[in-house]
Amino acid sequence: MSDDSQQQCPKCDSPYGYTDGQLWTCPECFHEWTLEEKAAEEAAAVFYDVNGNQLVDGDAVTVVKDLKAGGSTIKSGTKVKKIRLLDDMVNGHDISCKIDGVGQVYLKCSVVKKA
């Protein structure tokens, strides 16, 4: 796929995006974008732990400090498996996960390290 003739749609991943002057258009979902917007979105979608290691969906992480979650406390050193990174933050949190004994919670990248 060449930058000059087609681009993959950043919204629905269709490979048939075409240029119409300054904008690229997806014929399947009708999303419009510029190459600069697409590059900024791809760069912004990178997540790093407290030590600067890149995180990806499915990683296992360890909580680095005690956290209050509802009526319970998530202790420092708690290991969390199969995290899911969020495209849209929830109250400043960018990780969704399940923790045994606590349930579904949201965490920030700044309080975990890659296991």
Side-chain angles (χ1 to χ4, degrees), residues 29-84:
C29 72
F30 306 107
H31 178 66
E32 295 180 332
W33 72 95
T34 65
L35 293 181
E36 292 80 19
E37 289 172 355
K38 187 175 178 182
E41 287 176 9
E42 289 172 355
V46 178
F47 298 88
Y48 297 99
D49 71 359
V50 71
N51 294 327
N53 298 313
Q54 185 174 351
L55 297 172
V56 295
D57 282 339
D59 273 348
V61 296
T62 304
V63 178
V64 296
K65 68 180 198 174
D66 290 352
L67 304 170
K68 298 216 184 257
S72 61
T73 301
I74 300 169
K75 296 287 188 182
S76 175
T78 301
K79 190 168 182 177
V80 181
K81 298 177 185 177
K82 298 183 183 177
I83 64 169
R84 186 172 64 88

Side-chain angles (χ1 to χ4, degrees), residues 9-22:
C9 175
K11 186 173 181 182
C12 72
D13 295 325
S14 167
Y16 305 113
Y18 63 90
T19 185
D20 184 22
Q22 296 288 5

